Amino acid sequence: MALPMVSLGSVIFHSLPIPQTSHVVPRFPCHCSLSSHPSSSHSLRLPWGRESPSARICASITDVSVDVAVEEKRLPKGETWSVHKFGGTCVGNSSRIKNVADIIINDDSERKFVVVSAMSKVTDMMYDLIDKARSRDESYVSALDAVLQKHSSTAYDLIAGEDLAAFLSQLHQDISDLKAMLQAIYIAGHATESFTEFVVGYGELWSAQMLSLVIKKQGIDCKWMDAREVLIVKPTRSDRVDPDYLESERRLEKWYSLNPSDVIVATGFIASTPQNIPTTLKRDGSDFSAAIMGALFKARQITIWTDVDGVYSADPRKVADAVILKTLSYQEAWEMSYFGANVLHPRTITPVIRYGIPIIIRNIFNLSSSGTMICHPSIIGDEDKLISKSYVKGFATIDNVALVNVEGTGMAGVPGTASAIFSAVKEVGANVIMISQASSEHSVCFAVPEKEVKAVAEVLQSLFHGALDAGRLSQVAIHPNCSILAAVGQKMASTPGVSATLFEALAKANINVRAVAQGCSEYNITVVVKREDSIKALRAVHSRFYLSRTTIAMGIIGPGLIGSTLIDQLNDQAAVLKDELNIDLRVMGIMGSKLMLLDDDKGINLEKWRELREEKGEVANLEKFVQIVHGNHFIPNSVLVDCTADSVIASNYEGWLCKGIHVITPNKKANSGPLDEYLRLRALQRQSYTHYFYEATVGAGLPIISTLRGLLETGDRILQIEGIFSGTLSYIFNNFKDGRLFSEVVAEARDAGYTEPDPRDDLSGTDVARKVIILARESGLKLELSDIPVENLVPEPLRGSASAQEFMQQLPKFDQELAEKLKDAESGGEVLRYVGVVDVRNSKGVVELRRYKKDDPFAQVSGSDNMIAFTTRRYKTQPLIVRGPGAGAQVTAAGIFSDILRLASYLGAPS
């Protein structure tokens, strides 16, 4: 009879069919055993027509003994069987193999079928042997010795006596066979794919034999199976095979009838073709083996043992807050694995769906973790209560893809255009990962791996050359450097708002979506983003759906009194923010007028920032500073906090907001500057998800801006805003009484630290005027700062004083004017207060010194408190009053901190 052949260049290997006699018992496989025995019937013939003096090759897959008869036993199927699969990491060394044996022995299932991979790194070592021999690198000999040493030393650790001797004898025979085969490859300089797959399967044979012997050593009847005797697959292309279930089932029943046992250890990854030629199951073949065998046995469950606790909601290397999913439906697992999640190969799920066999992913190094169960949705129930509320189970990404867009008005309504496109793509062997087509049929957009896009572009340009020249097609455009982000969840189907939430999260992170695809089954929503935004996008959507930490990269400009106080507050609250509020604030940069401190990784140690600035500080450079804070593509959100009073810094706000950088500031210069600049900033707020918060510009830590907006947003109408807006001037006029001199009180306020270094900055009223103009604009008035009349408390002759010291020395000469005003007010039972007023009804504002009756709320203010009264349509007879500390670094920094927390609440998941 004709024997199937494996060709190795001009060297021909004949392979014998698997013996099907019912009266034989397999022992150790001969696996293409080389022998110099004269009775060997199939010899290794060298190119020049002579037999090798040292070897003959026999590719019979089983070594059989014909003198032992076994009563055939029928294969039991169903719930009594549990299937376990252990990957290379699980059997990486002798101690781990012992651990695997313990797990199998302690499993209380009635019957157990175990699938094992080769020991860790062995498959790579076997491929390396082929590569070295094929490239005529003589080091394949020493590399083969390393393979022998790895397995022999492991065997010595695990087994003893006759079992050890038998295994080592077979191991040395296998190594001798391999050496001869590799020598043939070395001579020919070539090895076919079939021959390569035959060679790399040795690792599974050795690991399966050793594990079975370890279990047997514990007094348990255990057989080992060379899966090539049972598992038959039909190659469909170079990277895919399809199981022949009928033939595999027939051979399994025959194998079991000769080798009945309640514990079977089988090789993963390897199989045979219908012609009995050894092959492999390709990528993730051991998982696939376990699934096929589970289906053949109709097992109760399949456990895939690995080195992680289960399937995560996202790649934990990219999203630190990813959570273990307790359950996944088959469809969810398939979708996530297709889109690159480290779950299972999509084909692994296919064999078990028919019988509804659950697959459990467990961590062999953490037996306390229950892992992830992949099963029918009906089994899942309410196990994942937290996750079921979010409707999205997990997220996965595929990097290094390119978008291809075929566009033109001539495509609309023309049958066969899409077919022609994808037929051409198929011709060049490219893999289409996703497709997006508008209902207008004006364009077809699809994603392919970036390494394949050049060939795709060339074939499409050639195919549509005429249509492009004639104008029926406008372009075949390529968009490289993209990534695919997929959101997966069975409960997404028919749930309103999931897509909106996803896109809102991306928009808040300032991430542009280049293409979208969603099937009608709604198991996944797929978007294409720039590759550099991939991790940022993944973290943004995961944070939104999973209530995980909202991570914000922050840059602080101006570490003066207010800025340094803010930094200290952030440091004090860091643990609370992370543990209780799920906010991870990372200060990536601190910049002063001369020096800046940067850290583009995990953020600056805020406890030691002053020392670090002295040690590692560099010359301040605003452009570089912004680049470092915003340029971290692993953090989805970035904010710049401007704690200065610098108009130059404020002039950058618009550009920062356009880049997607949020801005928080107590700096009044931007909002009280030119009206058109203010209006542009407000327009940016309304038109994008980039936030600009400035609560501390008016009332330090008091909620003035938010109160005003709350009134307006709820439909109230502002009539007037009147207030003591300066903590400094509040202190001065609260203490300017009972005959005290004005200059004396100013000096006292300066010594107490209430005033600016130059008190004229407070007494001029300009700061109050800026706050008035901010509130006027927030109320809808279009006023410039020059439109606000200001009563300047600095005597005109002293406004040009050379220094603050000179001003203070001359101020007593001008006490008389204010003393007379105070006396006149007190004689009428009134007090003096320096206030700002926004008269909305008359579209004007004013800053001036006013008199109030002693029973008026403004007369009751004490210390350095601010007080703002809102007279509105609702609060007309009794104004709404906000009162509290309005000056000092602590309260101003607290106001900024409050804005930071408000930003985090906007960016993160809803409470």
Side-chain angles (χ1 to χ4, degrees):
M1 91 183 205
L3 298 174
M5 296 183 295
V6 180
S7 172
L8 175 60
S10 57
V11 182
I12 307 298
F13 292 91
H14 296 273
S15 60
L16 290 176
I18 297 174
Q20 297 300 319
T21 174
S22 61
H23 298 289
V24 294
V25 181
R27 247 178 120 243
F28 293 112
C30 185
H31 354 292
C32 202
S33 61
L34 285 160
S35 172
S36 59
H37 196 281
S39 64
S40 295
S41 58
H42 300 285
S43 57
L44 169 61
R45 300 192 178 274
L46 300 178
W48 45 89
R50 293 183 296 153
E51 282 192 12
S52 166
S54 62
R56 296 170 182 264
I57 183 167
C58 171
S60 173
I61 292 180
T62 34
D63 183 19
V64 298
S65 175
V66 296
D67 56 353
V68 180
V70 177
E71 180 184 351
E72 292 190 9
K73 287 197 67 173
R74 194 168 178 81
L75 172 66
K77 296 182 180 179
E79 293 284 313
T80 61
W81 287 97
S82 64
V83 176
H84 295 264
K85 179 265 172 178
F86 295 92
T89 305
C90 300
V91 292
N93 54 46
S94 57
S95 64
R96 291 183 180 179
I97 293 175
K98 288 178 184 177
N99 186 39
V100 168
D102 290 340
I103 290 172
I104 299 304
I105 293 168
N106 293 327
D107 179 8
D108 58 5
S109 300
E110 185 177 342
R111 297 181 176 92
K112 290 158 276 195
F113 187 88
V114 183
V115 176
V116 291
S117 300
M119 292 179 69
S120 180
K121 308 298 182 184
V122 167
T123 300
D124 290 340
M125 294 170 75
M126 302 305 286
Y127 275 116
D128 185 56
L129 289 173
I130 295 286
D131 291 340
K132 281 183 164 63
R134 185 164 41 204
S135 59
R136 294 194 170 95
D137 180 350
E138 293 183 356
S139 66
Y140 78 85
V141 177
S142 58
L144 184 59
D145 290 339
V147 173
L148 172 62
Q149 175 61 31
K150 183 179 182 72
H151 289 86
S152 60
S153 62
T154 302
Y156 275 110
D157 287 343
L158 293 172
I159 47 183
E162 293 181 4
D163 288 339
L164 175 61
F167 176 78
L168 291 177
S169 175
Q170 186 62 52
L171 175 64
H172 282 278
Q173 181 63 58
D174 291 343
I175 295 296
S176 177
D177 295 348
L178 279 169
K179 187 174 294 185
M181 285 185 276
L182 292 168
Q183 184 179 9
I185 295 171
Y186 179 89
I187 294 169
H190 173 70
T192 65
E193 182 180 352
S194 296
F195 195 83
T196 299
E197 292 186 332
F198 181 75
V199 171
V200 299
Y202 271 93
E204 277 71 17
L205 293 167
W206 296 325
S207 62
Q209 290 176 58
M210 285 192 290
L211 177 59
S212 68
L213 291 171
V214 174
I215 295 173
K216 182 181 175 184
K217 186 178 176 182
Q218 300 300 315
I220 295 172
D221 178 34
C222 177
K223 300 290 195 305
W224 84 275
M225 173 194 289
D226 180 350
R228 295 175 301 183
E229 299 176 30
V230 172
L231 189 51
I232 303 302
V233 297
K234 298 175 181 177
T236 56
R237 63 188 193 198
S238 62
D239 62 344
R240 183 183 177 116
V241 294
D242 287 339
D244 184 337
Y245 287 100
L246 289 176
E247 179 61 19
S248 297
E249 186 173 22
R250 186 184 72 80
R251 294 197 183 196
L252 174 61
E253 289 175 348
K254 174 63 70 174
W255 186 95
Y256 187 85
S257 72
L258 302 173
N259 305 276
S261 179
D262 289 342
V263 181
I264 300 170
V265 178
T267 56
F269 183 58
I270 57 177
S272 292
T273 68
Q275 296 77 34
N276 298 321
I277 297 174
T279 187
T280 69
L281 298 180
K282 318 303 178 187
R283 178 187 165 194
D284 290 320
S286 293
D287 288 351
F288 197 16
S289 296
I292 296 168
M293 288 300 187
L296 293 175
F297 279 97
K298 297 182 177 60
R300 176 173 57 87
Q301 68 180 34
I302 299 169
T303 304
I304 306 292
W305 293 90
T306 181
D307 56 358
V308 293
D309 285 344
V311 181
Y312 284 84
S313 55
D315 188 338
R317 295 168 298 182
K318 299 177 180 177
V319 180
D321 297 322
V323 299
I324 296 291
L325 303 174
K326 297 297 183 185
T327 57
L328 278 174
S329 71
Y330 293 123
Q331 188 70 28
E332 288 168 337
W334 193 95
E335 294 279 0
M336 288 186 69
S337 60
Y338 176 81
F339 286 102
N342 187 23
V343 186
L344 293 170
H345 191 276
R347 301 204 68 207
T348 303
I349 300 165
T350 306
V352 301
I353 293 178
R354 177 181 175 186
Y355 301 106
I357 302 170
I359 299 176
I360 301 173
I361 313 294
R362 291 195 64 188
N363 189 350
I364 195 168
F365 305 114
N366 182 16
L367 299 182
S368 63
S369 173
S370 59
T372 300
M373 177 184 287
I374 300 170
C375 54
H376 276 310
S378 59
I379 300 176
I380 293 175
D382 295 325
E383 289 185 39
D384 286 350
K385 291 182 180 179
L386 171 64
I387 295 168
S388 66
K389 292 178 182 178
S390 74
Y391 307 110
V392 177
K393 270 292 184 72
F395 301 91
T397 56
I398 303 176
D399 294 323
N400 302 316
V401 300
L403 276 181
V404 181
N405 189 45
V406 182
E407 184 177 305
T409 54
M411 292 173 58
V414 179
T417 303
S419 175
I421 292 171
F422 295 113
S423 294
V425 173
K426 180 182 177 182
E427 285 180 13
V428 296
N431 177 35
V432 177
I433 303 172
M434 65 156 282
I435 304 170
S436 177
Q437 180 176 1
S439 59
S440 65
E441 301 180 349
H442 176 67
S443 68
V444 174
C445 176
F446 58 94
V448 298
E450 200 155 31
K451 63 184 179 182
E452 298 172 359
V453 73
K454 183 179 180 182
V456 170
E458 290 174 353
V459 74
L460 291 179
Q461 292 284 356
S462 174
L463 175 66
F464 294 114
H465 176 74
L468 288 165
D469 288 346
R472 295 193 303 277
L473 288 183
S474 57
Q475 64 173 340
V476 175
I478 305 299
H479 303 282
N481 303 318
C482 293
S483 291
I484 289 176
L485 168 66
V488 175
Q490 189 157 327
K491 292 190 177 182
M492 287 163 50
S494 305
T495 301
V498 175
S499 296
T501 303
L502 177 77
F503 291 114
E504 180 187 42
L506 294 171
K508 284 182 176 180
N510 198 43
I511 293 167
N512 183 43
V513 175
R514 310 193 72 166
V516 182
Q518 179 175 6
C520 62
S521 66
E522 300 183 67
Y523 278 108
N524 85 69
I525 303 171
T526 306
V527 299
V528 180
V529 299
K530 290 191 294 185
R531 183 167 59 202
E532 65 187 38
D533 289 336
S534 172
I535 295 178
K536 182 189 292 187
L538 181 62
R539 291 182 176 181
V541 295
H542 190 276
S543 173
R544 180 61 178 81
F545 282 95
Y546 272 92
L547 302 170
S548 57
R549 284 178 184 162
T550 301
T551 307
I552 304 175
M554 181 184 299
I556 297 176
I557 304 172
L561 184 59
I562 293 174
S564 60
T565 303
L566 173 64
I567 294 170
D568 292 339
Q569 290 179 355
L570 292 172
N571 181 53
D572 291 341
Q573 294 298 308
V576 174
L577 293 175
K578 284 184 179 181
D579 298 338
E580 297 182 15
L581 301 180
N582 274 335
I583 300 171
D584 184 4
L585 294 177
R586 301 186 190 180
V587 178
M588 317 301 283
I590 300 172
M591 189 179 82
S593 58
K594 297 179 180 178
L595 288 176
M596 64 181 182
L597 176 63
L598 302 173
D599 187 323
D600 59 357
D601 185 17
K602 295 182 179 180
I604 296 168
N605 182 344
L606 298 185
E607 197 167 339
K608 301 179 179 178
W609 73 271
R610 293 174 178 85
E611 298 95 312
L612 290 171
R613 182 178 59 172
E614 296 301 318
E615 295 173 13
K616 301 180 180 180
E618 53 188 280
V619 177
N621 182 315
L622 184 60
E623 184 177 348
K624 181 179 179 181
F625 179 84
V626 174
Q627 181 183 356
I628 292 296
V629 174
H630 184 54
N632 190 317
H633 295 296
F634 301 113
I635 300 179
N637 311 292
S638 55
V639 58
L640 290 172
V641 180
D642 174 21
C643 296
T644 73
D646 193 323
S647 57
V648 175
I649 299 294
S651 68
N652 288 280
Y653 293 176
E654 184 179 355
W656 294 342
L657 292 169
C658 287
K659 290 179 180 179
I661 305 172
H662 307 287
V663 176
I664 294 173
T665 186
N667 187 343
K668 294 175 278 291
K669 298 296 174 64
N671 285 8
S672 61
L675 178 63
D676 59 337
E677 293 180 11
Y678 166 81
L679 293 175
R680 284 201 301 270
L681 291 176
R682 289 304 308 274
L684 275 172
Q685 274 188 298
R686 288 189 293 268
Q687 295 167 7
S688 72
Y689 284 96
T690 308
H691 296 283
Y692 171 43
F693 293 147
Y694 43 87
E695 184 70 76
T697 57
V698 175
L702 298 179
I704 306 303
I705 300 291
S706 56
T707 300
L708 173 57
R709 285 189 177 174
L711 293 169
L712 293 171
E713 289 168 1
T714 56
D716 203 352
R717 181 182 174 188
I718 307 298
L719 303 178
Q720 177 178 282
I721 304 172
E722 182 178 10
I724 298 172
F725 294 107
S726 168
T728 301
L729 293 172
S730 176
Y731 178 87
I732 289 174
F733 283 98
N734 285 333
N735 289 278
F736 182 44
K737 59 186 178 180
D738 301 330
R740 295 190 67 185
L741 297 175
F742 184 72
S743 60
E744 176 189 335
V745 176
V746 172
E748 179 183 285
R750 188 183 186 218
D751 292 341
Y754 285 113
T755 72
E756 294 292 332
D758 189 337
R760 285 175 294 181
D761 294 338
D762 299 295
L763 298 175
S764 67
T766 303
D767 184 67
V768 176
R770 289 188 181 278
K771 295 176 180 180
V772 168
I773 200 68
I774 290 170
L775 291 176
R777 289 173 175 179
E778 292 287 317
S779 302
L781 302 183
K782 295 183 178 180
L783 299 176
E784 295 283 5
L785 186 60
S786 58
D787 296 328
I788 307 296
V790 178
E791 183 176 348
N792 193 332
L793 297 180
V794 180
E796 190 169 349
L798 300 184
R799 294 173 190 174
S801 297
S803 66
Q805 189 65 32
E806 182 183 337
F807 165 73
M808 291 302 298
Q809 290 173 353
Q810 299 296 321
L811 184 60
K813 297 178 181 178
F814 300 89
D815 281 336
Q816 186 61 35
E817 181 180 350
L818 279 172
E820 290 177 1
K821 287 186 177 182
L822 176 62
K823 183 178 179 180
D824 189 37
E826 287 179 337
S827 65
E830 296 174 325
V831 297
L832 295 176
R833 295 290 183 263
Y834 193 78
V835 299
V837 180
V838 180
D839 185 350
V840 179
R841 286 169 293 193
N842 297 304
S843 300
K844 64 180 183 180
V846 65
V847 175
E848 61 187 6
L849 192 61
R850 285 188 174 183
R851 292 163 55 165
Y852 293 91
K853 292 291 185 182
K854 290 186 178 181
D855 60 352
D856 190 281
F858 279 92
Q860 308 301 315
V861 175
S862 61
S864 61
D865 281 2
N866 282 6
M867 191 179 84
I868 294 86
F870 295 92
T871 302
T872 73
R873 187 171 56 190
R874 291 179 192 152
Y875 299 95
K876 193 170 184 179
T877 56
Q878 187 174 356
L880 174 65
I881 292 176
V882 178
R883 174 181 169 179
Q890 288 290 338
V891 293
T892 304
I896 301 168
F897 202 156
S898 178
D899 272 347
I900 293 170
L901 296 179
R902 187 151 61 106
L903 173 65
S905 72
Y906 278 110
L907 299 177
S911 58

